[in-house]
Amino acid sequence: MASFELLMNEAWGLLNEEKLEILKEKLAEIKPNSEKEYFDLEMLKGYYFWKLANFNRSASHFKNLEKHANNLKRNDLLGIAFHQQAFVLREEKQYLKALTLIEKEKQLIDDYFSGDFQKLAINSYEQGYLRLLMGNIKEAKEWLDLSLKYSLMTEDLTAIGCSYRALGELELRKENKLRAEKNLNLALSYFERENDLVGVAQIKKMLEDISK
């Protein structure tokens, strides 16, 4: 029988290709043998149900991450658990609840991972984007600027692209089309370098809408 790691790699590949029917069968084959493997499988299942737009099931699996992280006494995994739960809440437009979890993640980062620019970049992005969705433009800008700063320090092309994209959306909210286009074109360049086809298509659509 194939190893847990091999089956998980195949499953993530199916998820990325959105072959969800095949993935459903693959999930039935995967049998975790340790707390960490349970954590990893719950993460995959959370994303699987998110792709199906079954947000209740997705939230349930992401909530289970918290239990496994606590059992492992892993603060890094606990932060991920909070982040993933917030991810679903944002999708359901429960922005204040999502922000509460993102603040809990931020406290863990401050306490244990203050030098981890990747974690800081991702958390700052969510802090800013949630505030943007709630219409708090001033605070959103401060957090998204921080996200961009940390992203540039990590040289993570996707994270940089996401920060510029969010800043572009923010400028659109302010009806500043020139600044929006500048940020979105920068986002586009990073997504193209990362060969992120979904991100590229999304940005091109936003730029087309601005030019109408």
Side-chain angles (χ1 to χ4, degrees), residues 1 13 19 25 36 43 72 74 82 133 165 178 199 201:
M1 180 169 175
K19 296 179 178 177
E25 297 174 7
K36 179 59 166 60
M43 177 73 82
L72 287 161
R74 290 272 302 271
F82 292 148
L133 292 170
R165 181 183 61 200
L178 287 177

Side-chain angles (χ1 to χ4, degrees), residues 10 13 80 93 115 135 167 188:
E10 291 173 357
I80 290 170
K93 300 183 179 180
L167 286 165
L188 180 61

Side-chain angles (χ1 to χ4, degrees), residues 83 102 105-128 142-154 159 163:
H83 194 94
I102 291 299
E105 180 194 27
K106 178 63 163 61
Q107 189 61 57
L108 283 173
I109 294 170
D110 288 346
D111 289 345
Y112 301 103
F113 310 104
S114 58
D116 190 324
F117 299 128
Q118 186 80 35
K119 292 183 186 300
L120 287 164
I122 294 170
N123 183 270
S124 298
Y125 173 85
E126 285 296 328
Q127 296 265 12
E142 292 171 359
W143 280 106
L144 291 174
D145 282 342
L146 263 183
S147 175
L148 179 59
K149 171 189 169 183
Y150 291 131
S151 297
L152 289 167
M153 293 169 77
T154 68
S163 295

Side-chain angles (χ1 to χ4, degrees), residues 21-39:
E21 283 300 319
I22 304 174
L23 175 56
K24 182 179 179 181
E25 297 174 7
K26 181 67 66 177
L27 286 171
E29 298 177 34
I30 303 174
K31 308 298 181 187
N33 295 302
S34 68
E35 199 79 50
K36 179 59 166 60
E37 288 183 355
Y38 274 105
F39 180 95

Side-chain angles (χ1 to χ4, degrees), residues 118 150-160 190 193-194:
Q118 186 80 35
Y150 291 131
S151 297
L152 289 167
M153 293 169 77
T154 68
E155 299 182 358
D156 182 325
L157 301 182
T158 298
I160 298 169
Y190 282 100
R193 285 169 60 188
E194 188 64 16

Side-chain angles (χ1 to χ4, degrees), residues 63-128:
K63 178 66 177 174
N64 287 340
L65 296 177
E66 196 174 330
K67 175 187 71 176
H68 296 301
N70 281 321
N71 288 343
L72 287 161
K73 295 181 170 57
R74 290 272 302 271
N75 288 311
D76 57 334
L77 299 184
L78 185 58
I80 290 170
F82 292 148
H83 194 94
Q84 294 307 125
Q85 291 174 68
F87 175 69
V88 179
L89 288 167
R90 170 155 67 84
E91 195 70 26
E92 294 181 317
K93 300 183 179 180
Q94 299 186 53
Y95 302 137
L96 282 174
K97 286 184 178 180
L99 189 58
T100 297
L101 287 165
I102 291 299
E103 293 284 8
K104 290 173 75 172
E105 180 194 27
K106 178 63 163 61
Q107 189 61 57
L108 283 173
I109 294 170
D110 288 346
D111 289 345
Y112 301 103
F113 310 104
S114 58
D116 190 324
F117 299 128
Q118 186 80 35
K119 292 183 186 300
L120 287 164
I122 294 170
N123 183 270
S124 298
Y125 173 85
E126 285 296 328
Q127 296 265 12

